[in-house]
Amino acid sequence: MNKMAMALAKSRIDNIAMPLGGLGKLEDILIKCAGIFGTADFTFNKKAVIVLCADNGIVAQDVTQTGQHVTKIVAENMTDGKASIAILCKQAKADLFVTDIGMTTDSDNPKIFNKKVAYGTRDFSVERAMTLDEVNTAISVGIGGVAKLKWQQYNLIATGEMGIGNTTTSSAIVAALFGTDAIAVTGKGAGLSTKGLLHKIDVINKAIALHQPNPADPFDVLSAVGGLDIAGLVGVYLGGAIHRIPILIDGFISATAALLATRINPAAKDFMFATHVSSEPATKMVLDAIGLEPFLFLDMHLGEGTGATMAFPLFDMALKIYREMSNFAQINVKKYVPLS
């Protein structure tokens, strides 16, 4: 992070003709972006939403309401503007990049980028979800995706995912990282009954007991109980740090990937923004562990990058004030100063 650029951005904000701290958390966003870009004179050129789509073998254990075929259906709906994330991207003037990183079936849709690492993960209740090679390849896909977007002049990226069963995967990852019983970090996902939730918790606990993933080794945790979409998102966050691009975290699944990324490289946190707290019970716990505070509280659990995309207009509006509002000297008004 460029401390000089951050100091200049802070000075610029404090000279805008408004009360000190008038923009609240939006000021923190602007100052952090200045640090990321290395200049106080920055703008958001182009905005992108990366949605990584993958299937989870754990679905075989009846931990979801729907089957894996839904992943492909929703992914394809994203490309024709009918899915929620596509509608929000249009409104936010962001470009949507839907990527198959591990769906169980192939798609001939030319608007879906084929970066398939494997045809879904294995059922981690009976065997490890991925090999270490698959984990590393998926992470590389995410890093490469950010590199390509940087080359295309994008400099603000939101994360999204689609994959039936990935709240089970995320809860298993978080339970393993925190060394806690799954009951503390597992929610109903896309609408399980209470009985279904208890079964989901039991499946996760037994899987962790079976594989004994090392909580100090994020690669081992991913291999044992992870998902291809989550591993890919880990790469997106690492790519943000490598290529100095702000990355917006979406909900529980995206936040789980962000936590893993910070366990691999703590500096990745400097390039992340927590946008909202989803209604999944472990989301705030995960964001607290990363050390990031969200600024939207909407009780959403829609996924796909929807919450992160809703934050784009806030970034745009804050930047508009930062770049265009009069300062105290221009309107001949005495500047506010901090008072004791």
Side-chain angles (χ1 to χ4, degrees):
M1 298 288 281
N2 188 313
K3 301 298 183 183
M4 179 63 73
M6 295 175 75
L8 289 172
K10 176 70 164 59
S11 176
R12 180 169 176 168
I13 291 169
D14 288 346
N15 279 283
I16 293 174
M18 64 179 181
L20 288 172
L23 288 179
K25 292 179 182 178
L26 297 181
E27 295 184 8
D28 297 334
I29 289 173
L30 293 167
I31 293 167
K32 186 171 179 176
C33 283
I36 291 171
F37 295 134
T39 175
D41 186 22
F42 65 90
T43 189
F44 301 127
N45 300 327
K46 295 162 68 178
K47 300 185 290 291
V49 181
I50 298 176
V51 179
L52 299 183
C53 305
D55 282 303
N56 299 271
I58 196 64
V59 168
Q61 299 304 315
D62 295 324
V63 292
T64 63
Q65 276 197 27
T66 56
Q68 291 179 326
H69 67 285
V70 175
T71 301
K72 179 182 176 181
I73 292 171
V74 175
E76 293 185 335
N77 282 345
M78 290 178 186
T79 67
D80 61 14
K82 294 179 181 178
S84 55
I85 185 59
I87 294 167
L88 291 175
C89 280
K90 183 177 180 180
Q91 183 68 23
K93 296 180 172 59
D95 295 321
L96 178 61
F97 296 88
V98 182
T99 301
D100 173 9
I101 194 170
M103 295 195 299
T104 55
T105 54
D106 292 318
S107 174
D108 58 4
N109 187 323
K111 295 181 180 179
I112 295 178
F113 295 92
N114 182 6
K115 297 291 183 180
K116 195 189 298 287
V117 175
Y119 285 89
T121 55
R122 299 162 189 84
D123 178 355
F124 65 67
S125 71
V126 294
E127 59 182 319
R128 283 185 161 250
M130 294 178 281
T131 66
L132 285 174
D133 280 347
E134 288 168 339
V135 169
N136 287 317
T137 301
I139 291 173
S140 295
V141 168
I143 294 172
V146 174
K148 183 175 181 180
L149 290 176
K150 171 84 176 234
W151 180 76
Q152 294 173 332
Q153 304 301 309
Y154 289 91
N155 68 345
L156 191 61
I157 297 173
T159 55
E161 39 59 42
M162 177 58 212
I164 300 302
N166 59 10
T167 60
T168 303
T169 301
S170 298
S171 294
I173 291 170
V174 174
L177 290 175
F178 283 84
T180 186
D181 190 286
I183 195 170
V185 296
T186 307
K188 292 185 176 181
L192 285 176
S193 65
T194 299
K195 180 180 178 181
L197 173 60
L198 293 174
H199 171 64
K200 180 177 177 181
I201 291 167
D202 184 57
V203 167
I204 293 170
N205 281 333
K206 288 179 178 177
I208 292 173
L210 172 66
H211 301 303
Q212 295 289 306
N214 180 359
D217 185 347
F219 297 96
D220 186 52
V221 173
L222 276 168
S223 173
V225 295
L228 290 159
D229 52 348
I230 294 172
L233 288 175
V234 170
V236 172
Y237 294 117
L238 295 175
I242 293 168
H243 298 288
R244 306 193 67 82
I245 295 179
I247 309 292
L248 277 57
I249 302 169
D250 188 39
F252 176 47
I253 297 152
S254 294
T256 299
L259 178 58
L260 286 163
T262 62
R263 296 287 178 91
I264 294 170
N265 181 1
K269 170 192 168 183
D270 292 339
F271 301 85
M272 300 176 182
F273 291 86
T275 57
H276 75 114
V277 179
S278 79
S279 59
E280 281 290 305
T283 308
K284 188 175 186 306
M285 180 191 305
V286 171
L287 293 178
D288 286 346
I290 298 171
L292 294 175
E293 186 178 358
F295 40 88
L296 294 174
F297 297 83
L298 304 172
D299 292 333
M300 292 175 61
H301 56 271
L302 188 54
E304 302 177 11
T306 50
T309 303
M310 284 182 176
F312 276 149
L314 294 178
F315 278 66
D316 286 337
M317 288 186 283
L319 184 68
K320 200 78 170 171
I321 291 173
Y322 177 76
R323 294 186 64 87
E324 297 183 13
M325 189 170 171
S326 300
N327 60 38
F328 287 105
Q330 289 170 328
I331 64 172
N332 197 29
V333 171
K334 186 178 179 181
K335 177 184 173 182
Y336 282 98
V337 294
L339 300 177
S340 58

